[in-house]
C-alpha cells in the first residue's frame, strides 16, 4: 500500500514529525489534559470534537468519525494519495525524498500541477519577457515591488489568445485535461483559447497554498471588458471555499495574533506592504459560512476591514452578524475615514497610521451602535427616543453584565440621559428576549433540527468488547499468546482480519508500532485501530481473567443472537402449523441453552 517508497523511509519521516505541528497549520488546537482539541476541519461544528493525541501521534474526530495518523490527516484534508502525503510530510521535516522518488513518482492532481505550470508561465512572462513589459509597467504604476511580485507570485497573461495553450501543450497536457481546467474557453467549433488575456494575474491558492485558480485584473482602458475576471469553478476551485492569501496569512496569524479580512486582494497586498501579513480576502463574493468556519478553525481573533464607503460598511455589518451567529469569535471592525479603502488609506496616510487604525478596531457593539446612530436625527426627540430604544435592544444581546454596564454608560453620556433609566429599559428588554428564546426553544423541540451545511459522514459503530480484545492482542505479547492458545476467532470479520494482519506484520517487521501498522492495512479497517488507540483503555498488563471474561461475553453474545434467530423461525413455523420444523428448532434451542449454561459456568 505504500507504493514504491521504502518502508524505512516512511518510518523515518513519521518519526521526525509531530502530528500536532502539522495539524496546527489547519486547526487552532488547545491543550486539554494529555490531548489537544479543536474544531474539526472535515465537518462544521460549534463545539470542538476533534482530538489529537500527541503521545500516540493520532487524531480522531468524535463528531464525524475520521481519524488516523499524520499521513491520513493530509490525505483527508488535501485529497492526497498516500505517497503524496509522505512527500508532503518529508518536505515539512526537510528530509529529502530517496533517489527516484520525487515528483516523477509522487504525482500531483493533474489540474493542480497544470495550475502550478500556468502560474510559473505567467510569472516568467511578467518578469523576463518583452511581452510582459506592458504588465510590468502597470505593476509599477500600482507600486508593486519585486518583493511583492515574488511573494504573491503575480504574473501577466499576454494579449495573444493561445500562448498559454501552446505552452501547456508543449508540457504534455491533452485537450480534454485543458478543457476542464478553467484556464481556457472553448469556441463553437471546439477550439480552445486562453481565457485570460492582457491581465495582471493573481494566483489563488487552497488552504495548503497549492494554486487552484486565478484572478486577472484588466490593465487596458477598455471598459467593455470586466475589470476583474476569476477562474470559473472547477473540480479543484470553489469560490465560496477559497480565501486569497489564506495559506500564508494563517502562518502570520501566529505572530500577529489575528487574521484580517478584506474585500479584495489589492487590499491584502497593500496591507502586506504596510507590514500587516495576516490579511485575507474573499474572491469577489460575499463572505460565506464555509469561509467563516475556515477562519474559526485557525483563530478566534478576526478583524474586518472592508472599504470605508457605504456598501463596504454595510458588508462589514453583514459579516459581523455572520461571525456572531457562529459564535466564539473575538471580533474587531475597522471603518476607515473619508470612505477610503485600505489600499487608498495606505497610499494617503502611510503604513504606520494604517497599523494604528487596525489596533483601534471597534468592538461589534460599538460598531452597531455607531451604525444605529447614523440612521436617526438625534436632535429630534422622537427619533432620539427611538434610537435609545434600539440601542438598549442591541446592548441586551450581550451576555456579559460588565459589557452591558460599559455600553449603557457610554450611551447615557452621549445622549444626556440617566444610566438608571436605561437600565430599567434593559431589564424589560432582557425579560422580553428570554420569553422569546423560551418560545423558540419549545418550537425547536417540536421539529427536527436542520443538518449541517456540510454532510457529516456516518460514524462507524465499533464493538467495545472486540476493540478491547484486539487492543490487548496487539499491545501485549502475553495476551496475544493466551488468545491464540484458546483458538479464539473474532466473531466480526473485520476484527478477525486485523488480528491476522497484525500477526503477519510482527513476523515481517523488526520495529513494531501501531502507527506504522496503520499505513499498511486496508483503509476500511483503519478506523477500528484509530478508535482503539484513541479510547482511554485501562493501563497496565491485562489479566487472563479479563481476557476470559471478554471471550466468554463474545461467545454468549453469539449464542444469544442464534437463539433470537431460532425463536423467530419458530414463530414462522407456528404460523404455518409446521409441527416437524417446530420440533427440530426446539431441539436446537435446547442444545444452545445447554452450551450457554456450560459457558456461564466457565
Amino acid at each position: 500500500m505504500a507504493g514504491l517508497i521504502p518502508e524505512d523511509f516512511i518510518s523515518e519521516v513519521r518519526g521526525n514529525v509531530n502530528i500536532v505541528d502539522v495539524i496546527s497549520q489547519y486547526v487552532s488546537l488547545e491543550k486539554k489534559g494529555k490531548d489537544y482539541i479543536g474544531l474539526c476541519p472535515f465537518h462544521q461544528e460549534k463545539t470542538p470534537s476533534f482530538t489529537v493525541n500527541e503521545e500516540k501521534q493520532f487524531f480522531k474526530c468524535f463528531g464525524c468519525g475520521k481519524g488516523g495518523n499524520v499521513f491520513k490527516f493530509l490525505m483527508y484534508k488535501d485529497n492526497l494519495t498516500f505517497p503524496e502525503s509522505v512527500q508532503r510530510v518529508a518536505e515539512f521535516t526537510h528530509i529529502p525524498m530517496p533517489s527516484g522518488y520525487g515528483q516523477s513518482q509522487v504525482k500531483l492532481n493533474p489540474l493542480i500541477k497544470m495550475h502550478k505550470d500556468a502560474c510559473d508561465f505567467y510569472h516568467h512572462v511578467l518578469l523576463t519577457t518583452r511581452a510582459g513589459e506592458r504588465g510590468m509597467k502597470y505593476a509599477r504604476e500600482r507600486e508593486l515591488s519585486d518583493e511583492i511580485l515574488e511573494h504573491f507570485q503575480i504574473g501577466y497573461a499576454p494579449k495573444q489568445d493561445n500562448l498559454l495553450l501552446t505552452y501547456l501543450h508543449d508540457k504534455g497536457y491533452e485537450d480534454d485535461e485543458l478543457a476542464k481546467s478553467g484556464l481556457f474557453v472553448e469556441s463553437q467549433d471546439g477550439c480552445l483559447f486562453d481565457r485570460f488575456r492582457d491581465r495582471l494575474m493573481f494566483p489563488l491558492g487552497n488552504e495548503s497554498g497549492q494554486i487552484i485558480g486565478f484572478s486577472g485584473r484588466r490593465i487596458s482602458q477598455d471598459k467593455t471588458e470586466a475589470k476583474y475576471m476569476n477562474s470559473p469553478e472547477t473540480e479543484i476551485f470553489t469560490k465560496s471555499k477559497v480565501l486569497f492569501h489564506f495559506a500564508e496569512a494563517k502562518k502570520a496569524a501566529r505572530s500577529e495574533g489575528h487574521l484580517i479580512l478584506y474585500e479584495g486582494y489589492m487590499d491584502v497586498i497593500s496591507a502586506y506592504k504596510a507590514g500587516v501579513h495576516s490579511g485575507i480576502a474573499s474572491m469577489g463574493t460575499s463572505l460565506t459560512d464555509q469561509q467563516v468556519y475556515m477562519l474559526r478553525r485557525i483563530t478566534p481573533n478576526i478583524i474586518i476591514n472592508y472599504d470605508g464607503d457605504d456598501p463596504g460598511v454595510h458588508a462589514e455589518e453583514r459579516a459581523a452578524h455572520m461571525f456572531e451567529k457562529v459564535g466564539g469569535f473575538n471580533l474587531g471592525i475597522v471603518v476607515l475615514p473619508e470612505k477610503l479603502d485600505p489600499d487608498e488609506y495606505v497610499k494617503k496616510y502611510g503604513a504606520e497610521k494604517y497599523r494604528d487604525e487596525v489596533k483601534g478596531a471597534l468592538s461589534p457593539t460599538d460598531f452597531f451602535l455607531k451604525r444605529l446612530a447614523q440612521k436617526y436625527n438625534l436632535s429630534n426627540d422622537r427619533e432620539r427616543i427611538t434610537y435609545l430604544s434600539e440601542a438598549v435592544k442591541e446592548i441586551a444581546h450581550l451576555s456579559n453584565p460588565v459589557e452591558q454596564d460599559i455600553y449603557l454608560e457610554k450611551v447615557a453620556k452621549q445622549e444626556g440621559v440617566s444610566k438608571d433609566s436605561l437600565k430599567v429599559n434593559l431589564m424589560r428588554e432582557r425579560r422580553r428576549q428570554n420569553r422569546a428564546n423560551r418560545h423558540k426553544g419549545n418550537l425547536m423541540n417540536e421539529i427536527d433540527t436542520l443538518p449541517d451545511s456540510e454532510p457529516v459522514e456516518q460514524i462507524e459503530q465499533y464493538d467495545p468488547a472486540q476493540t478491547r480484545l484486539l487492543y490487548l492482542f496487539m499491545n501485549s505479547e502475553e495476551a496475544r499468546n493466551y488468545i491464540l492458545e484458546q483458538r479464539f476467532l473474532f466473531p466480526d470479520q473485520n476484527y478477525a482480519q486485523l488480528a491476522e494482519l497484525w500477526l503477519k506484520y510482527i513476523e515481517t517487521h523488526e520495529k513494531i508500532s501501531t502507527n506504522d501498522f496503520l499505513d499498511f492495512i486496508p483503509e476500511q479497517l483503519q478506523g477500528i485501530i484509530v478508535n482503539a488507540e484513541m479510547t482511554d483503555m485501562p493501563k497496565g498488563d491485562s489479566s487472563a481473567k479479563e481476557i476470559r471474561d471478554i471471550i466468554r461475553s463474545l461467545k454468549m453474545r453469539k449464542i444469544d443472537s442464534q437463539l433470537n434467530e431460532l425463536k423467530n423461525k419458530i414463530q414462522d413455523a407456528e404460523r404455518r402449523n409446521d409441527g416437524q420444523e417446530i420440533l427440530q428448532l426446539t431441539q436446537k434451542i435446547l442444545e444452545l441453552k445447554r452450551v450457554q449454561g456450560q459457558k456461564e459456568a466457565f
Side-chain angles (χ1 to χ4, degrees), residues 492-528:
D492 184 282
Q493 183 179 352
N494 289 333
Y495 287 85
Q497 186 178 357
L498 280 169
E500 183 180 346
L501 288 170
W502 180 256
L503 291 175
K504 291 179 180 178
Y505 170 75
I506 61 177
E507 287 176 3
T508 56
H509 291 74
E510 292 183 11
K511 294 181 180 179
I512 297 169
S513 80
T514 308
N515 210 316
D516 180 61
F517 177 62
L518 194 74
D519 295 327
F520 298 93
I521 62 175
E523 183 173 358
Q524 65 269 22
L525 301 179
Q526 293 177 3
I528 295 173

mmCIF file of all heavy atoms in Angstrom, residues 492-528:
data_model
loop_
_atom_site.group_PDB
_atom_site.id
_atom_site.type_symbol
_atom_site.label_atom_id
_atom_site.label_comp_id
_atom_site.label_asym_id
_atom_site.label_seq_id
_atom_site.Cartn_x
_atom_site.Cartn_y
_atom_site.Cartn_z
ATOM 1 N N ASP A 492 -16.433 -10.840 14.473
ATOM 2 C CA ASP A 492 -16.589 -9.884 13.375
ATOM 3 C C ASP A 492 -15.447 -10.067 12.373
ATOM 4 O O ASP A 492 -14.279 -10.124 12.751
ATOM 5 C CB ASP A 492 -16.589 -8.445 13.923
ATOM 6 C CG ASP A 492 -16.849 -7.420 12.835
ATOM 7 O OD1 ASP A 492 -15.904 -7.117 12.078
ATOM 8 O OD2 ASP A 492 -17.981 -6.918 12.741
ATOM 9 N N GLN A 493 -15.785 -10.145 11.108
ATOM 10 C CA GLN A 493 -14.794 -10.412 10.061
ATOM 11 C C GLN A 493 -13.698 -9.357 10.019
ATOM 12 O O GLN A 493 -12.520 -9.664 9.789
ATOM 13 C CB GLN A 493 -15.492 -10.485 8.696
ATOM 14 C CG GLN A 493 -14.553 -10.843 7.547
ATOM 15 C CD GLN A 493 -15.285 -10.919 6.220
ATOM 16 O OE1 GLN A 493 -16.499 -10.849 6.170
ATOM 17 N NE2 GLN A 493 -14.532 -11.061 5.142
ATOM 18 N N ASN A 494 -14.049 -8.077 10.245
ATOM 19 C CA ASN A 494 -13.048 -7.011 10.200
ATOM 20 C C ASN A 494 -12.018 -7.163 11.314
ATOM 21 O O ASN A 494 -10.812 -6.995 11.096
ATOM 22 C CB ASN A 494 -13.716 -5.637 10.299
ATOM 23 C CG ASN A 494 -14.482 -5.281 9.035
ATOM 24 O OD1 ASN A 494 -14.160 -5.756 7.951
ATOM 25 N ND2 ASN A 494 -15.501 -4.448 9.176
ATOM 26 N N TYR A 495 -12.493 -7.462 12.519
ATOM 27 C CA TYR A 495 -11.574 -7.663 13.642
ATOM 28 C C TYR A 495 -10.705 -8.896 13.408
ATOM 29 O O TYR A 495 -9.509 -8.900 13.723
ATOM 30 C CB TYR A 495 -12.355 -7.797 14.945
ATOM 31 C CG TYR A 495 -12.940 -6.491 15.447
ATOM 32 C CD1 TYR A 495 -14.173 -6.039 14.990
ATOM 33 C CD2 TYR A 495 -12.259 -5.709 16.374
ATOM 34 C CE1 TYR A 495 -14.720 -4.850 15.444
ATOM 35 C CE2 TYR A 495 -12.793 -4.517 16.844
ATOM 36 C CZ TYR A 495 -14.023 -4.088 16.375
ATOM 37 O OH TYR A 495 -14.554 -2.905 16.823
ATOM 38 N N ALA A 496 -11.322 -9.945 12.879
ATOM 39 C CA ALA A 496 -10.566 -11.165 12.598
ATOM 40 C C ALA A 496 -9.465 -10.894 11.570
ATOM 41 O O ALA A 496 -8.333 -11.381 11.700
ATOM 42 C CB ALA A 496 -11.509 -12.255 12.097
ATOM 43 N N GLN A 497 -9.791 -10.109 10.537
ATOM 44 C CA GLN A 497 -8.800 -9.788 9.507
ATOM 45 C C GLN A 497 -7.653 -8.948 10.088
ATOM 46 O O GLN A 497 -6.482 -9.159 9.756
ATOM 47 C CB GLN A 497 -9.464 -9.034 8.355
ATOM 48 C CG GLN A 497 -8.536 -8.792 7.163
ATOM 49 C CD GLN A 497 -9.240 -8.078 6.019
ATOM 50 O OE1 GLN A 497 -10.435 -7.808 6.082
ATOM 51 N NE2 GLN A 497 -8.481 -7.753 4.986
ATOM 52 N N LEU A 498 -7.987 -8.010 10.979
ATOM 53 C CA LEU A 498 -6.949 -7.180 11.601
ATOM 54 C C LEU A 498 -6.011 -8.031 12.461
ATOM 55 O O LEU A 498 -4.792 -7.817 12.458
ATOM 56 C CB LEU A 498 -7.597 -6.083 12.451
ATOM 57 C CG LEU A 498 -8.101 -4.865 11.672
ATOM 58 C CD1 LEU A 498 -8.957 -3.986 12.566
ATOM 59 C CD2 LEU A 498 -6.927 -4.063 11.106
ATOM 60 N N ALA A 499 -6.571 -8.982 13.202
ATOM 61 C CA ALA A 499 -5.725 -9.859 14.018
ATOM 62 C C ALA A 499 -4.773 -10.656 13.132
ATOM 63 O O ALA A 499 -3.580 -10.808 13.445
ATOM 64 C CB ALA A 499 -6.611 -10.796 14.849
ATOM 65 N N GLU A 500 -5.275 -11.148 12.020
ATOM 66 C CA GLU A 500 -4.436 -11.908 11.082
ATOM 67 C C GLU A 500 -3.348 -11.013 10.475
ATOM 68 O O GLU A 500 -2.179 -11.423 10.372
ATOM 69 C CB GLU A 500 -5.320 -12.493 9.986
ATOM 70 C CG GLU A 500 -4.562 -13.371 8.992
ATOM 71 C CD GLU A 500 -5.474 -13.933 7.905
ATOM 72 O OE1 GLU A 500 -6.716 -13.868 8.068
ATOM 73 O OE2 GLU A 500 -4.935 -14.413 6.898
ATOM 74 N N LEU A 501 -3.712 -9.792 10.090
ATOM 75 C CA LEU A 501 -2.736 -8.860 9.500
ATOM 76 C C LEU A 501 -1.667 -8.472 10.516
ATOM 77 O O LEU A 501 -0.495 -8.296 10.167
ATOM 78 C CB LEU A 501 -3.451 -7.606 8.989
ATOM 79 C CG LEU A 501 -4.301 -7.782 7.731
ATOM 80 C CD1 LEU A 501 -5.153 -6.536 7.470
ATOM 81 C CD2 LEU A 501 -3.400 -8.064 6.518
ATOM 82 N N TRP A 502 -2.073 -8.326 11.789
ATOM 83 C CA TRP A 502 -1.098 -7.974 12.818
ATOM 84 C C TRP A 502 -0.063 -9.095 12.999
ATOM 85 O O TRP A 502 1.129 -8.823 13.162
ATOM 86 C CB TRP A 502 -1.811 -7.689 14.143
ATOM 87 C CG TRP A 502 -0.863 -7.326 15.254
ATOM 88 C CD1 TRP A 502 -0.463 -8.117 16.281
ATOM 89 C CD2 TRP A 502 -0.182 -6.082 15.428
ATOM 90 N NE1 TRP A 502 0.425 -7.459 17.096
ATOM 91 C CE2 TRP A 502 0.607 -6.197 16.596
ATOM 92 C CE3 TRP A 502 -0.169 -4.884 14.718
ATOM 93 C CZ2 TRP A 502 1.405 -5.152 17.060
ATOM 94 C CZ3 TRP A 502 0.635 -3.842 15.184
ATOM 95 C CH2 TRP A 502 1.406 -3.977 16.335
ATOM 96 N N LEU A 503 -0.527 -10.342 12.955
ATOM 97 C CA LEU A 503 0.410 -11.469 13.081
ATOM 98 C C LEU A 503 1.422 -11.463 11.928
ATOM 99 O O LEU A 503 2.615 -11.689 12.136
ATOM 100 C CB LEU A 503 -0.360 -12.790 13.109
ATOM 101 C CG LEU A 503 -1.209 -13.051 14.369
ATOM 102 C CD1 LEU A 503 -2.015 -14.329 14.205
ATOM 103 C CD2 LEU A 503 -0.321 -13.137 15.610
ATOM 104 N N LYS A 504 0.940 -11.175 10.727
ATOM 105 C CA LYS A 504 1.854 -11.105 9.580
ATOM 106 C C LYS A 504 2.812 -9.931 9.720
ATOM 107 O O LYS A 504 3.995 -10.023 9.388
ATOM 108 C CB LYS A 504 1.058 -10.973 8.283
ATOM 109 C CG LYS A 504 0.277 -12.222 7.909
ATOM 110 C CD LYS A 504 -0.503 -12.015 6.615
ATOM 111 C CE LYS A 504 -1.286 -13.269 6.245
ATOM 112 N NZ LYS A 504 -2.102 -13.068 5.017
ATOM 113 N N TYR A 505 2.293 -8.811 10.232
ATOM 114 C CA TYR A 505 3.103 -7.603 10.379
ATOM 115 C C TYR A 505 4.255 -7.828 11.364
ATOM 116 O O TYR A 505 5.405 -7.470 11.078
ATOM 117 C CB TYR A 505 2.204 -6.446 10.841
ATOM 118 C CG TYR A 505 2.951 -5.201 11.248
ATOM 119 C CD1 TYR A 505 3.529 -4.358 10.308
ATOM 120 C CD2 TYR A 505 3.068 -4.860 12.600
ATOM 121 C CE1 TYR A 505 4.206 -3.213 10.692
ATOM 122 C CE2 TYR A 505 3.739 -3.724 12.996
ATOM 123 C CZ TYR A 505 4.306 -2.902 12.044
ATOM 124 O OH TYR A 505 4.983 -1.765 12.423
ATOM 125 N N ILE A 506 3.979 -8.424 12.525
ATOM 126 C CA ILE A 506 5.044 -8.589 13.524
ATOM 127 C C ILE A 506 6.059 -9.654 13.108
ATOM 128 O O ILE A 506 7.184 -9.661 13.598
ATOM 129 C CB ILE A 506 4.458 -8.920 14.919
ATOM 130 C CG1 ILE A 506 3.675 -10.234 14.897
ATOM 131 C CG2 ILE A 506 3.608 -7.769 15.415
ATOM 132 C CD1 ILE A 506 3.128 -10.635 16.276
ATOM 133 N N GLU A 507 5.650 -10.535 12.192
ATOM 134 C CA GLU A 507 6.590 -11.524 11.676
ATOM 135 C C GLU A 507 7.576 -10.915 10.679
ATOM 136 O O GLU A 507 8.688 -11.409 10.523
ATOM 137 C CB GLU A 507 5.835 -12.669 10.990
ATOM 138 C CG GLU A 507 5.121 -13.612 11.944
ATOM 139 C CD GLU A 507 4.319 -14.672 11.193
ATOM 140 O OE1 GLU A 507 4.390 -14.677 9.946
ATOM 141 O OE2 GLU A 507 3.628 -15.462 11.849
ATOM 142 N N THR A 508 7.163 -9.846 10.005
ATOM 143 C CA THR A 508 7.973 -9.283 8.910
ATOM 144 C C THR A 508 8.628 -7.956 9.262
ATOM 145 O O THR A 508 9.324 -7.374 8.418
ATOM 146 C CB THR A 508 7.099 -9.086 7.658
ATOM 147 O OG1 THR A 508 5.976 -8.258 7.995
ATOM 148 C CG2 THR A 508 6.603 -10.422 7.139
ATOM 149 N N HIS A 509 8.423 -7.450 10.480
ATOM 150 C CA HIS A 509 8.996 -6.151 10.854
ATOM 151 C C HIS A 509 9.748 -6.281 12.179
ATOM 152 O O HIS A 509 9.232 -6.854 13.137
ATOM 153 C CB HIS A 509 7.907 -5.087 10.992
ATOM 154 C CG HIS A 509 7.275 -4.714 9.683
ATOM 155 N ND1 HIS A 509 6.384 -5.529 9.023
ATOM 156 C CD2 HIS A 509 7.419 -3.595 8.908
ATOM 157 C CE1 HIS A 509 5.991 -4.940 7.907
ATOM 158 N NE2 HIS A 509 6.606 -3.775 7.808
ATOM 159 N N GLU A 510 10.955 -5.715 12.202
ATOM 160 C CA GLU A 510 11.731 -5.729 13.438
ATOM 161 C C GLU A 510 11.212 -4.688 14.420
ATOM 162 O O GLU A 510 11.013 -4.959 15.595
ATOM 163 C CB GLU A 510 13.213 -5.460 13.139
ATOM 164 C CG GLU A 510 13.893 -6.589 12.362
ATOM 165 C CD GLU A 510 15.366 -6.303 12.148
ATOM 166 O OE1 GLU A 510 15.875 -5.360 12.776
ATOM 167 O OE2 GLU A 510 15.994 -7.022 11.347
ATOM 168 N N LYS A 511 11.007 -3.447 13.899
ATOM 169 C CA LYS A 511 10.461 -2.388 14.744
ATOM 170 C C LYS A 511 8.939 -2.362 14.552
ATOM 171 O O LYS A 511 8.460 -2.207 13.446
ATOM 172 C CB LYS A 511 11.065 -1.034 14.371
ATOM 173 C CG LYS A 511 12.559 -0.941 14.653
ATOM 174 C CD LYS A 511 13.090 0.433 14.276
ATOM 175 C CE LYS A 511 14.573 0.531 14.562
ATOM 176 N NZ LYS A 511 15.124 1.871 14.185
ATOM 177 N N ILE A 512 8.225 -2.504 15.664
ATOM 178 C CA ILE A 512 6.770 -2.641 15.601
ATOM 179 C C ILE A 512 6.116 -1.410 16.223
ATOM 180 O O ILE A 512 6.481 -0.991 17.325
ATOM 181 C CB ILE A 512 6.311 -3.906 16.349
ATOM 182 C CG1 ILE A 512 6.883 -5.152 15.671
ATOM 183 C CG2 ILE A 512 4.805 -3.997 16.419
ATOM 184 C CD1 ILE A 512 6.708 -6.409 16.472
ATOM 185 N N SER A 513 5.167 -0.811 15.503
ATOM 186 C CA SER A 513 4.377 0.292 16.071
ATOM 187 C C SER A 513 3.001 0.304 15.422
ATOM 188 O O SER A 513 2.860 -0.007 14.240
ATOM 189 C CB SER A 513 5.072 1.642 15.860
ATOM 190 O OG SER A 513 4.862 2.138 14.556
ATOM 191 N N THR A 514 2.011 0.668 16.216
ATOM 192 C CA THR A 514 0.643 0.738 15.699
ATOM 193 C C THR A 514 0.527 1.787 14.602
ATOM 194 O O THR A 514 -0.181 1.609 13.613
ATOM 195 C CB THR A 514 -0.330 1.074 16.846
ATOM 196 O OG1 THR A 514 -0.114 0.165 17.915
ATOM 197 C CG2 THR A 514 -1.771 0.971 16.384
ATOM 198 N N ASN A 515 1.248 2.899 14.785
ATOM 199 C CA ASN A 515 1.220 3.977 13.795
ATOM 200 C C ASN A 515 1.739 3.499 12.450
ATOM 201 O O ASN A 515 1.178 3.816 11.392
ATOM 202 C CB ASN A 515 2.062 5.156 14.306
ATOM 203 C CG ASN A 515 1.556 6.478 13.796
ATOM 204 O OD1 ASN A 515 1.242 6.600 12.624
ATOM 205 N ND2 ASN A 515 1.496 7.466 14.667
ATOM 206 N N ASP A 516 2.809 2.705 12.489
ATOM 207 C CA ASP A 516 3.381 2.160 11.258
ATOM 208 C C ASP A 516 2.433 1.133 10.633
ATOM 209 O O ASP A 516 2.215 1.121 9.423
ATOM 210 C CB ASP A 516 4.727 1.494 11.595
ATOM 211 C CG ASP A 516 5.396 0.903 10.367
ATOM 212 O OD1 ASP A 516 5.699 1.657 9.433
ATOM 213 O OD2 ASP A 516 5.614 -0.328 10.344
ATOM 214 N N PHE A 517 1.824 0.296 11.474
ATOM 215 C CA PHE A 517 0.890 -0.736 11.013
ATOM 216 C C PHE A 517 -0.280 -0.117 10.254
ATOM 217 O O PHE A 517 -0.773 -0.668 9.264
ATOM 218 C CB PHE A 517 0.404 -1.530 12.228
ATOM 219 C CG PHE A 517 -0.625 -2.584 11.928
ATOM 220 C CD1 PHE A 517 -0.335 -3.660 11.096
ATOM 221 C CD2 PHE A 517 -1.895 -2.514 12.495
ATOM 222 C CE1 PHE A 517 -1.282 -4.642 10.828
ATOM 223 C CE2 PHE A 517 -2.846 -3.487 12.246
ATOM 224 C CZ PHE A 517 -2.533 -4.554 11.405
ATOM 225 N N LEU A 518 -0.716 1.064 10.715
ATOM 226 C CA LEU A 518 -1.888 1.723 10.124
ATOM 227 C C LEU A 518 -1.697 1.984 8.633
ATOM 228 O O LEU A 518 -2.653 1.930 7.860
ATOM 229 C CB LEU A 518 -2.155 3.038 10.850
ATOM 230 C CG LEU A 518 -3.518 3.682 10.576
ATOM 231 C CD1 LEU A 518 -4.614 2.923 11.301
ATOM 232 C CD2 LEU A 518 -3.511 5.142 11.001
ATOM 233 N N ASP A 519 -0.453 2.258 8.211
ATOM 234 C CA ASP A 519 -0.191 2.620 6.817
ATOM 235 C C ASP A 519 -0.183 1.416 5.886
ATOM 236 O O ASP A 519 -0.104 1.583 4.671
ATOM 237 C CB ASP A 519 1.157 3.342 6.705
ATOM 238 C CG ASP A 519 1.141 4.678 7.435
ATOM 239 O OD1 ASP A 519 0.078 5.314 7.460
ATOM 240 O OD2 ASP A 519 2.190 5.062 7.985
ATOM 241 N N PHE A 520 -0.272 0.216 6.450
ATOM 242 C CA PHE A 520 -0.136 -0.975 5.608
ATOM 243 C C PHE A 520 -1.331 -1.919 5.734
ATOM 244 O O PHE A 520 -1.217 -3.109 5.493
ATOM 245 C CB PHE A 520 1.166 -1.701 5.953
ATOM 246 C CG PHE A 520 2.380 -0.858 5.687
ATOM 247 C CD1 PHE A 520 2.929 -0.074 6.682
ATOM 248 C CD2 PHE A 520 2.930 -0.781 4.421
ATOM 249 C CE1 PHE A 520 4.012 0.735 6.425
ATOM 250 C CE2 PHE A 520 4.013 0.027 4.157
ATOM 251 C CZ PHE A 520 4.564 0.797 5.159
ATOM 252 N N ILE A 521 -2.472 -1.353 6.117
ATOM 253 C CA ILE A 521 -3.692 -2.155 6.172
ATOM 254 C C ILE A 521 -4.756 -1.474 5.327
ATOM 255 O O ILE A 521 -4.668 -0.278 5.053
ATOM 256 C CB ILE A 521 -4.187 -2.346 7.626
ATOM 257 C CG1 ILE A 521 -4.540 -0.992 8.268
ATOM 258 C CG2 ILE A 521 -3.168 -3.104 8.459
ATOM 259 C CD1 ILE A 521 -5.143 -1.101 9.652
ATOM 260 N N PRO A 522 -5.779 -2.208 4.876
ATOM 261 C CA PRO A 522 -6.838 -1.597 4.057
ATOM 262 C C PRO A 522 -7.499 -0.420 4.774
ATOM 263 O O PRO A 522 -7.685 -0.438 5.995
ATOM 264 C CB PRO A 522 -7.828 -2.746 3.851
ATOM 265 C CG PRO A 522 -7.015 -3.987 4.031
ATOM 266 C CD PRO A 522 -5.981 -3.659 5.062
ATOM 267 N N GLU A 523 -7.860 0.582 3.990
ATOM 268 C CA GLU A 523 -8.427 1.809 4.564
ATOM 269 C C GLU A 523 -9.681 1.538 5.381
ATOM 270 O O GLU A 523 -9.908 2.163 6.420
ATOM 271 C CB GLU A 523 -8.738 2.805 3.447
ATOM 272 C CG GLU A 523 -9.258 4.146 3.953
ATOM 273 C CD GLU A 523 -9.385 5.167 2.851
ATOM 274 O OE1 GLU A 523 -9.037 4.858 1.702
ATOM 275 O OE2 GLU A 523 -9.850 6.284 3.143
ATOM 276 N N GLN A 524 -10.516 0.591 4.948
ATOM 277 C CA GLN A 524 -11.777 0.345 5.649
ATOM 278 C C GLN A 524 -11.565 -0.244 7.041
ATOM 279 O O GLN A 524 -12.486 -0.279 7.850
ATOM 280 C CB GLN A 524 -12.688 -0.577 4.830
ATOM 281 C CG GLN A 524 -12.172 -1.994 4.629
ATOM 282 C CD GLN A 524 -11.331 -2.127 3.358
ATOM 283 O OE1 GLN A 524 -10.804 -1.136 2.865
ATOM 284 N NE2 GLN A 524 -11.234 -3.333 2.835
ATOM 285 N N LEU A 525 -10.333 -0.702 7.331
ATOM 286 C CA LEU A 525 -10.049 -1.263 8.651
ATOM 287 C C LEU A 525 -9.336 -0.276 9.577
ATOM 288 O O LEU A 525 -9.218 -0.521 10.777
ATOM 289 C CB LEU A 525 -9.171 -2.521 8.507
ATOM 290 C CG LEU A 525 -9.736 -3.676 7.667
ATOM 291 C CD1 LEU A 525 -8.736 -4.822 7.615
ATOM 292 C CD2 LEU A 525 -11.062 -4.158 8.234
ATOM 293 N N GLN A 526 -8.861 0.831 9.020
ATOM 294 C CA GLN A 526 -8.035 1.742 9.809
ATOM 295 C C GLN A 526 -8.806 2.389 10.955
ATOM 296 O O GLN A 526 -8.258 2.650 12.028
ATOM 297 C CB GLN A 526 -7.435 2.816 8.902
ATOM 298 C CG GLN A 526 -6.423 2.259 7.912
ATOM 299 C CD GLN A 526 -5.876 3.312 6.962
ATOM 300 O OE1 GLN A 526 -6.202 4.494 7.070
ATOM 301 N NE2 GLN A 526 -5.047 2.900 6.026
ATOM 302 N N GLY A 527 -10.112 2.647 10.732
ATOM 303 C CA GLY A 527 -10.908 3.294 11.770
ATOM 304 C C GLY A 527 -10.963 2.497 13.060
ATOM 305 O O GLY A 527 -11.003 3.065 14.159
ATOM 306 N N ILE A 528 -10.963 1.171 12.968
ATOM 307 C CA ILE A 528 -11.006 0.317 14.164
ATOM 308 C C ILE A 528 -9.745 0.522 14.993
ATOM 309 O O ILE A 528 -9.795 0.651 16.218
ATOM 310 C CB ILE A 528 -11.168 -1.164 13.765
ATOM 311 C CG1 ILE A 528 -12.522 -1.379 13.087
ATOM 312 C CG2 ILE A 528 -11.019 -2.070 14.980
ATOM 313 C CD1 ILE A 528 -12.716 -2.769 12.514
#
